[in-house]
Amino acid sequence: MPDTQLCLEALSALCGCRVEPTSVDSQLTPQDLVNIVALKEFYRQEGFQTLEYPSIGSLSLQEADDVDLYGPPPALTAGPAESAGAAATVKINPADFFHPQYDYDFTNIKDGNKKFLRGNEQYLRPCGWNRVALRVLNKYDGGDGWLGTGSDAWPVSYHGHGMDGSLGIIVTHKADCVDEPGFLDAAAASITIPQTKGRGVYSTRDVCIAEKFCKKFKSKVDGKTYKVVLQSRINPNKRKECQRENYWLIYVPEGSNDIQTRAIVQESLRPYGLLLKQV
């Protein structure tokens, strides 16, 4: 497993909050992690400025790429504006959050023409990345079949920061593809079919796509810059195929409240790996 503090920095970059170690119970579970990452993007595209999350409170949806999450806290004399911009601090117990037994370093692996399956669908392994396993075994009702390699397993999904509704499922399809067969018909249908409008949470089967949208952070551990992506399994009964190849959407219906929206994410995405790549 990479340095624990490096992994906490990666979590901080994903969540937009300061993640610190503790020896007691964690404030966050791996499921909370994917909920926060997905919901931050969703609520940002909906025009909100903060996300209220149980056990943490208010999380800013403003970009924090230039914010030093591990810098000193705001001075006691800081004004309201400065204090409001301060990142929340979250405590997790690394022993309960990470599962080193299942770490896998794909950094120097090239699959070539080899094919792997998860849930009878092709699994594009994260070659070039170092995977830190999350402790998710025996955490869900119904057993761990979703995490396996058999026919009842869920397909693998990658989530990069910034994968939101701007990608579009139908109506915001890139302009240079408007002449593709069926696109105009699909676009016309999207006007009358709400489920095609792309309101929800996006992910992809291809880590190379997720990498284009991923977060970067400079580690205080070694001074190097890393990319970070979340590796999850996606419920095949909850996703929708996008017009763009290899994109998936977890659709959130209009009128869903915060609890319903969070429930939709929890039923649809389950994380199991934190992917790191040195820039």
Side-chain angles (χ1 to χ4, degrees):
M1 178 175 170
D3 184 274
T4 298
Q5 185 58 41
L6 174 63
C7 295
L8 296 182
E9 291 176 343
L11 293 178
S12 299
L14 277 174
C15 295
C17 56
R18 180 173 176 148
V19 181
E20 296 182 344
T22 182
S23 58
V24 296
D25 291 342
S26 300
Q27 286 180 267
L28 289 182
T29 66
Q31 184 63 53
D32 288 320
L33 172 63
V34 73
N35 289 354
I36 290 171
V37 173
L39 291 173
K40 285 189 71 174
E41 296 307 317
F42 172 68
Y43 281 114
R44 184 182 290 117
Q45 76 181 18
E46 290 292 294
F48 290 87
Q49 294 186 341
T50 59
L51 165 67
E52 299 296 329
Y53 198 83
S55 80
I56 299 177
S58 181
L59 292 174
S60 173
L61 301 184
Q62 304 304 308
E63 293 295 335
D65 291 337
D66 297 325
V67 176
D68 184 359
L69 295 173
Y70 285 87
L76 295 177
T77 56
E82 295 173 273
S83 299
T89 297
V90 176
K91 304 281 189 178
I92 70 162
N93 186 331
D96 293 336
F97 198 90
F98 301 113
H99 207 164
Q101 177 183 349
Y102 296 99
D103 288 354
Y104 200 101
D105 191 353
F106 291 92
T107 301
N108 297 311
I109 292 178
K110 295 181 180 179
D111 283 340
N113 293 324
K114 294 179 181 178
K115 289 189 176 182
F116 301 86
L117 297 177
R118 296 294 184 270
N120 293 331
E121 295 187 21
Q122 186 175 5
Y123 166 33
L124 301 176
R125 302 202 302 174
C127 297
W129 297 76
N130 191 355
R131 184 176 70 205
V132 179
L134 305 179
R135 193 172 291 275
V136 293
L137 288 176
N138 304 314
K139 300 294 185 181
Y140 297 93
D141 294 337
D144 296 321
W146 64 275
L147 190 56
T149 60
S151 60
D152 60 340
W154 291 8
V156 175
S157 173
Y158 300 100
H159 193 100
H161 169 82
M163 295 187 68
D164 60 21
S166 62
L167 296 172
I169 179 170
I170 293 289
V171 294
T172 56
H173 195 279
K174 55 187 178 181
D176 59 353
C177 295
V178 295
D179 292 330
E180 289 180 359
F183 171 69
L184 293 179
D185 290 340
S190 71
I191 298 175
T192 58
I193 304 175
Q195 288 81 354
T196 64
K197 291 185 178 178
R199 186 180 191 271
V201 174
Y202 287 83
S203 62
T204 175
R205 73 172 81 235
D206 189 347
V207 71
C208 294
I209 293 176
E211 183 175 3
K212 297 176 182 178
F213 303 95
C214 73
K215 290 287 287 187
K216 297 179 183 178
F217 68 96
K218 185 173 183 179
S219 174
K220 288 187 175 296
V221 174
D222 57 16
K224 298 175 182 177
T225 299
Y226 293 86
K227 296 177 179 179
V228 56
V229 165
L230 197 57
Q231 185 177 27
S232 304
R233 297 295 184 97
I234 188 168
N235 188 331
N237 298 318
K238 300 293 183 180
R239 68 183 176 184
K240 293 185 181 294
E241 295 281 350
C242 293
Q243 180 81 359
R244 287 183 177 182
E245 186 178 2
N246 291 327
Y247 286 97
W248 289 324
L249 171 72
I250 300 300
Y251 179 68
V252 178
E254 292 278 359
S256 300
N257 61 34
D258 290 348
I259 295 176
Q260 292 168 328
T261 300
R262 189 165 66 248
I264 289 171
V265 174
Q266 291 185 173
E267 293 171 354
S268 307
L269 291 170
R270 293 177 179 177
Y272 72 107
L274 187 69
L275 301 180
L276 297 172
K277 177 192 277 192
Q278 185 179 329
V279 176

